[in-house]
Amino acid sequence: MATDPTEQLVRLFAEESRVRAFAAVALGAGSSEQVARAAGLSPRETATALLRLREQGVVTTGDDGELGVAYGLFKEYAREAAQRENDAAAAGSPASGDDRTDLVLRTFVRDGRLVRLPAQWTRKKLVLRHIAEQTFEPGVEYPERTVNDKLRVWCEDSDDIDHVTLRRYLVDLHHLRRSEGIYRRPAEAAHAGDADIA
């Protein structure tokens, strides 16, 4: 059985008799006979389904012999899933060390892709500076074709902007300098006003 709880549950509930038996327990059936009656299952189907549900820990038998749902297990699985999502988001999110900047970047940049450009100009400049810093080494000369290829990657998940518009913004904001079809990121890009993210 897979170790991922979500996959375990999907496999467990892929069998209709298990789903019906589980639903009957969740709705209050406390014995095998009550589960069979509520779920419309034969005694054999009920016994097999309940055995599997108990093995996986989603159905328990209390001290009084009554069947019950292991709600604590589902809460634990939900906490683990939320933690995995948080860890994945942190691993794939840009981090500058400034909480406000990080919030803006997490909103508009995901997994090295531009989701969309912010409408607010100061936030837009911050995102564009981030893209320039992550894409181009200072002082290195890039032919236009290379610049386009690098910027296309940023635009793959965005219906909001294309690589040509992105390139024009970067040039207009002096994050890239253009001369005779060659682009270069200056060592000290303009940062004026970027700190005001409010």
Side-chain angles (χ1 to χ4, degrees), residues 13-189:
F13 291 119
E15 174 63 45
E16 182 182 352
S17 62
R18 294 180 204 149
V19 174
R20 291 166 66 177
F22 179 81
V25 173
L27 291 172
S31 68
S32 295
E33 295 78 22
Q34 291 173 348
V35 170
R37 198 169 34 255
L41 298 172
S42 71
R44 181 180 175 151
E45 289 173 318
T46 302
T48 303
L50 288 175
L51 175 65
R52 193 79 171 107
L53 293 168
R54 283 191 194 108
E55 286 176 349
Q56 293 301 309
V58 298
V59 168
T60 60
T61 304
D63 294 337
D64 57 359
E66 289 282 309
L67 297 171
V69 172
Y71 292 108
L73 180 68
F74 288 97
K75 288 179 182 176
E76 180 183 328
Y77 284 174
R79 279 193 299 273
E80 290 173 7
Q83 185 60 50
R84 281 194 304 276
E85 285 179 19
N86 289 339
D87 293 347
S93 296
S96 69
D98 177 303
D99 289 342
R100 292 172 67 197
T101 298
D102 290 346
L103 177 63
V104 171
L105 293 177
R106 277 195 308 270
T107 302
F108 297 100
V109 176
R110 293 203 188 107
D111 299 322
R113 303 286 189 272
L114 179 63
V115 177
R116 69 183 187 282
L117 275 178
Q120 187 180 4
W121 184 241
T122 53
R123 293 178 182 191
K124 185 179 292 186
K125 290 194 308 185
L126 187 145
V127 170
L128 290 165
R129 186 183 77 208
H130 173 77
I131 290 171
E133 290 173 350
Q134 296 299 310
T135 309
F136 303 103
E137 291 294 322
V140 175
E141 294 185 343
Y142 298 92
E144 187 166 296
R145 171 182 237 149
T146 302
V147 171
N148 288 341
D149 290 344
K150 287 177 171 285
L151 295 179
R152 268 191 198 99
V153 173
W154 283 97
C155 300
E156 284 178 359
D157 295 340
S158 175
D159 297 330
D160 182 49
I161 192 166
D162 59 37
H163 69 283
V164 175
T165 306
L166 193 55
R167 186 186 69 214
R168 186 170 52 248
Y169 274 130
L170 293 175
V171 170
D172 289 349
L173 290 171
H174 307 290
H175 292 304
L176 289 178
R177 300 260 166 86
R178 176 177 48 208
S179 177
E180 298 177 8
I182 300 296
Y183 293 77
R184 185 174 55 82
R185 181 175 154 233
E188 289 297 321

